[in-house]
């Protein structure tokens, strides 16, 4: 098994204007996703939703600035760390990951064991 | 051989090294003991043994090596080679790898071309190509792209990616992106080699059959595409006696089976090529049926390039004015921006409609988009004709 990070890139605008029903739907989607992962032979090792990029602070060297590292239309809104047999399995899982009209990026986690 | 070794080695770089080691060992042993009855099997066995040794020697290293392949018992035999080649092709053409790197990896690992040869074929510096191949290999390892033939439910998409790579190889060879020669024979031959290999390995896949038919029927015209002086000849101008009848016969025989049961895009293109091959002349081609096949093709594969080709066929079936009307919606399609055959096709229809000024403007646009010598000569000749009109 290998570990992959699923980065969820979503429109922040959508969440700024989201109604309680929209939030509930997003919660339900993620709950369903967490049930689907084991059905595909994978495992969720962790994951969180993130506060919007307006709350981000960037540090480069000694300089601390307000805002994200890179300004983009779709921003990192949350992530999962999953375990899957190979990239095909990880992609199959990532395809089901809710991303609110945006998309996800799959990155293999680097291993330093032994 | 590389494919067979890669499965045991678990790592493409290690496999390449083992294969090279096996060649070195072969020189030594064969000089002493003579060449064995089956040199290929000898080399594969030697390379695999080296891969297994390498694993035993480096247990710690092995845990760090990407487990890119499934575990196999070291005792397995060379009978697995066909499967191994297929696994290797599917790995090289995995959709998670950039298309240009898919092509490069396939040529490097399946066809055995050197990085230098691939770089020259695609007209990029060798260092660029080496970096591209290395990066792709690293991704295969780090992201654990599986070394296997896809499961039946994934197969149609994944096979399409493989066939796309092979077809791209063929079209790149068919009309070289630049230079004085129209055709790059080496790339064309690699494309045939790969298609025939796939056909042998997957005899029931209709689209593989379709691609082989398409390549045969297209390539049958290769010699007729240039005049003795190197000038480019269009389909309409080609001397049909110069078409390769054996290739046409082989291609045509494949088409019915390829079309059976829901035709795919390669089978449909082969069927169109077959209609051209059967026609006594350009004018006496069954254009209405070709338009009909393009209509089906457009549904299966809604590509603007298909729509462009359909418009050209419409112009032959119903006249250049109707063809131009079919072509016009494509002019603003961003996917065709920079596609030289769009202004070239428009120029030809405008020329046939006697709209010389507009035709000249389109020929100039097309000229700005090609670096292939014979193509440039052809467009320049046409441009001069319409300017003189």
């Amino acid at each position: 098994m290998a570990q992959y990070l699923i980065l969820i890139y979503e429109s922040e605008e959508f969440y700024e204007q989201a109604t309680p029903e929209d939030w509930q739907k997003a919660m339900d989607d993620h709950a369903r996703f967490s049930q689907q992962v084991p059905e595909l032979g994978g495992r969720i090792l962790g994951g969180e939703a993130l506060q919007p990029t307006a709350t981000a602070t960037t540090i480069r060297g000694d300089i601390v600035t307000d805002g994200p590292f890179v300004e983009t239309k779709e921003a990192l809104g949350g992530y999962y760390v999953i375990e899957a047999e190979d990239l095909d399995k990880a992609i199959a899982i990532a395809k089901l990951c809710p991303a609110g009209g945006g998309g996800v990026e799959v990155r293999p986690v680097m291993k330093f064991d032994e | 051989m590389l494919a067979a070794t890669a499965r045991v080695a678990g790592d493409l770089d290690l496999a390449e090294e083992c294969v090279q080691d096996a060649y070195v060992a072969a020189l030594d042993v064969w000089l002493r003991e003579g060449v064995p009855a089956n040199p290929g099997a000898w080399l594969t066995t030697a390379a695999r043994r080296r891969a297994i040794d390498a694993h035993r020697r480096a247990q710690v290293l092995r845990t760090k090596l990407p487990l890119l392949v499934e575990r196999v018992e070291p005792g397995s035999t060379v009978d697995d080679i066909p499967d191994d080649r297929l696994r290797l092709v599917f790995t090289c053409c995995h959709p998670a790898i950039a298309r240009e790197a898919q092509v490069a990896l396939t040529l490097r690992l399946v066809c055995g071309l050197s990085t230098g040869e691939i770089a020259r074929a695609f007209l990029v510096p060798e260092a660029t190509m080496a970096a591209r191949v290395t990066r792709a290999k690293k991704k295969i390892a780090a992201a654990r792209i599986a070394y296997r033939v896809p499961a039946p439910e994934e197969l149609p998409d994944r096979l399409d990616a493989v066939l796309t790579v092979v077809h791209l190889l063929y079209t790149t060879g068919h009309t070289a992106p630049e230079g004085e020669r129209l055709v790059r024979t080496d790339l064309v031959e690699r494309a045939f080699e790969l298609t025939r290999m796939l056909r042998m390995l997957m005899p029931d896949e209709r689209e593989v059959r379709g691609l082989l038919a398409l390549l045969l029927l297209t390539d049958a015209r290769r010699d007729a595409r240039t005049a003795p002086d190197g000038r480019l000849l269009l389909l309409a101008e080609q001397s049909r006696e110069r078409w390769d009848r054996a290739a046409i016969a082989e291609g045509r025989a494949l088409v019915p089976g390829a079309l059976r049961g829901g035709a795919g895009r390669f089978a449909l293109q082969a069927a169109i090529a077959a209609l051209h091959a059967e026609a006594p002349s350009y004018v006496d081609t069954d254009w209405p049926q070709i338009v009909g096949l393009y209509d089906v093709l457009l549904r299966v594969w809604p590509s603007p390039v298909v729509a462009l080709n359909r418009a050209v066929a419409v112009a032959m079936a119903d006249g250049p004015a109707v063809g131009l009307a079919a072509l016009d919606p494509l002019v603003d399609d961003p996917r065709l921006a920079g596609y030289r055959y769009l202004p070239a096709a428009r120029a030809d229809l405008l020329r046939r409609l006697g709209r010389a000024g507009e035709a000249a403007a389109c020929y100039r646009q097309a000229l700005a988009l090609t670096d292939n010598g014979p193509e440039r000569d052809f467009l320049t000749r046409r441009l001069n004709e319409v300017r003189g009109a």
Side-chain angles (χ1 to χ4, degrees):
Chain A
M1 295 292 255
Q3 289 182 14
Y4 298 89
L5 177 65
I6 298 177
L7 299 115
I8 307 167
Y9 288 91
E10 295 170 300
S11 153
E12 294 199 322
E13 220 172 289
F14 170 78
Y15 284 99
E16 279 163 25
Q17 292 156 10
T19 62
E21 290 76 34
D22 291 333
W23 279 105
Q24 190 54 51
K25 187 185 174 301
M27 289 302 182
D28 293 347
D29 287 347
H30 281 279
R32 184 169 343 102
F33 174 66
S34 63
Q35 286 166 5
Q36 286 167 324
V37 173
E39 288 166 18
L40 288 169
R43 202 150 68 94
I44 293 178
L45 303 178
E48 299 290 347
L50 301 180
Q51 294 283 356
T53 50
T55 63
T57 306
T58 299
I59 297 116
R60 285 182 200 253
D62 287 339
I63 302 173
V64 177
T65 45
D66 175 40
F69 210 75
V70 192
E71 292 270 8
T72 47
K73 197 153 167 266
E74 283 172 347
L76 183 63
Y79 69 90
Y80 285 101
V81 179
I82 61 154
E83 204 171 57
E85 198 187 315
D86 56 40
L87 185 64
D88 286 332
K89 298 278 162 56
I91 289 173
I93 290 167
K95 275 183 179 165
L96 298 175
C97 180
V104 302
E105 178 180 320
V106 176
R107 289 273 290 274
V109 172
M110 203 183 273
K111 285 278 158 213
F112 294 99
D113 50 4
E114 292 153 287
Chain B
M1 182 162 95
L2 185 93
T5 309
R7 193 153 58 90
V8 180
D11 176 273
L12 291 170
D13 285 318
L14 177 61
E16 276 187 285
E17 246 170 63
C18 293
V19 169
Q20 273 156 20
D21 281 358
Y23 275 116
V24 174
L27 272 177
D28 186 38
V29 174
W30 296 0
L31 280 173
R32 269 188 288 118
E33 298 170 14
V35 178
N38 185 342
W42 191 96
L43 281 168
T44 304
T45 309
R48 287 182 153 205
R49 254 187 231 132
R50 273 171 170 71
I52 294 161
D53 286 352
H55 277 310
R56 287 191 186 133
R57 272 201 311 272
Q59 285 293 334
V60 179
L61 186 70
R62 185 169 78 169
T63 58
K64 286 187 186 167
L65 275 177
L67 304 175
L68 132 80
V69 298
E70 57 204 275
R71 294 270 140 246
V72 264
E73 300 72 57
S76 64
T77 65
V78 288
D79 294 342
D80 308 325
I81 288 174
D83 268 2
D84 278 328
R85 290 201 88 179
L86 208 49
R87 285 192 190 98
L88 192 57
V89 173
F90 278 106
T91 305
C92 291
C93 300
H94 194 281
I97 300 169
R99 177 56 37 85
E100 55 187 18
Q102 293 176 6
V103 177
L105 270 185
T106 305
L107 285 172
R108 176 78 197 91
L109 301 176
V110 185
C111 298
L113 262 63
S114 74
T115 309
E117 285 171 312
I118 304 166
R120 281 190 295 282
F122 287 91
L123 310 152
V124 298
E126 186 167 344
T128 309
M129 187 54 79
R132 195 179 286 172
V133 169
T134 304
R135 186 172 172 274
K137 279 197 221 161
K138 272 193 189 141
K139 176 154 185 189
I140 290 176
R144 267 174 89 113
I145 290 179
Y147 184 60
R148 64 155 181 258
V149 175
E153 67 272 14
E154 313 165 288
L155 193 62
D157 278 354
R158 294 287 308 277
L159 181 60
D160 191 75
V162 170
L163 299 180
T164 301
V165 163
V166 179
H167 189 244
L168 181 64
L169 207 55
Y170 177 80
T171 52
T172 307
H174 182 69
T175 304
E178 62 177 59
E180 288 317 303
R181 280 180 306 152
L182 183 65
V183 177
R184 292 287 318 258
T185 316
D186 47 351
L187 290 181
V188 166
E189 277 162 11
R190 294 300 170 192
F192 268 102
E193 191 181 286
L194 282 165
T195 313
R196 289 198 188 275
M197 182 193 92
L198 288 169
R199 170 117 176 89
M200 191 184 75
L201 299 176
M202 311 180 90
D204 299 330
E205 288 300 330
R206 293 193 309 267
E207 278 291 84
V208 175
R209 186 188 268 259
L211 178 63
L212 180 57
L214 175 63
L215 297 196
L216 283 163
L217 290 162
T218 311
D219 205 55
R221 306 200 286 257
R222 193 203 297 179
D223 290 345
R225 290 174 66 222
T226 39
D229 60 3
R231 200 161 48 89
L232 173 72
L233 295 174
L234 295 186
L235 192 53
E237 307 166 313
Q238 290 170 16
S239 145
R240 296 186 175 219
E241 300 85 71
R242 291 178 66 200
W243 288 359
D244 180 345
R245 288 291 144 193
I248 289 174
E250 191 189 350
R252 280 179 65 185
L254 289 164
V255 171
L259 285 172
R260 205 162 294 144
R265 62 192 179 106
F266 289 109
L268 286 163
Q269 291 177 87
I272 292 167
L275 284 176
H276 283 299
E278 287 160 19
S281 72
Y282 189 68
V283 174
D284 295 322
T285 303
D286 189 347
W287 292 107
Q289 202 186 335
I290 288 184
V291 173
L293 283 170
Y294 272 122
D295 287 336
V296 182
L297 182 57
L298 211 45
R299 280 200 292 279
V300 177
W301 185 33
S303 143
V305 173
V306 175
L308 170 61
N309 285 308
R310 182 187 167 277
V312 172
V314 167
M316 286 308 294
D318 303 320
V322 186
L324 194 62
L327 198 63
D328 277 339
L330 300 172
V331 172
D332 296 323
D333 193 319
R335 292 169 297 176
L336 288 180
Y339 188 66
R340 62 192 188 271
Y341 298 118
L342 175 62
R346 273 199 95 222
D348 188 58
L349 296 181
L350 290 163
R351 179 185 64 90
R352 280 152 64 186
L353 288 165
R355 291 157 67 174
E358 292 163 88
C362 288
Y363 279 124
R364 282 194 203 94
Q365 276 178 34
L367 263 171
L369 294 171
T370 181
D371 287 319
N372 179 286
E375 277 194 346
R376 291 191 63 83
D377 294 344
F378 168 79
L379 292 166
T380 308
R381 259 187 294 135
R382 278 285 157 92
L383 178 60
N384 290 336
E385 279 169 37
V386 292
R387 272 203 298 218

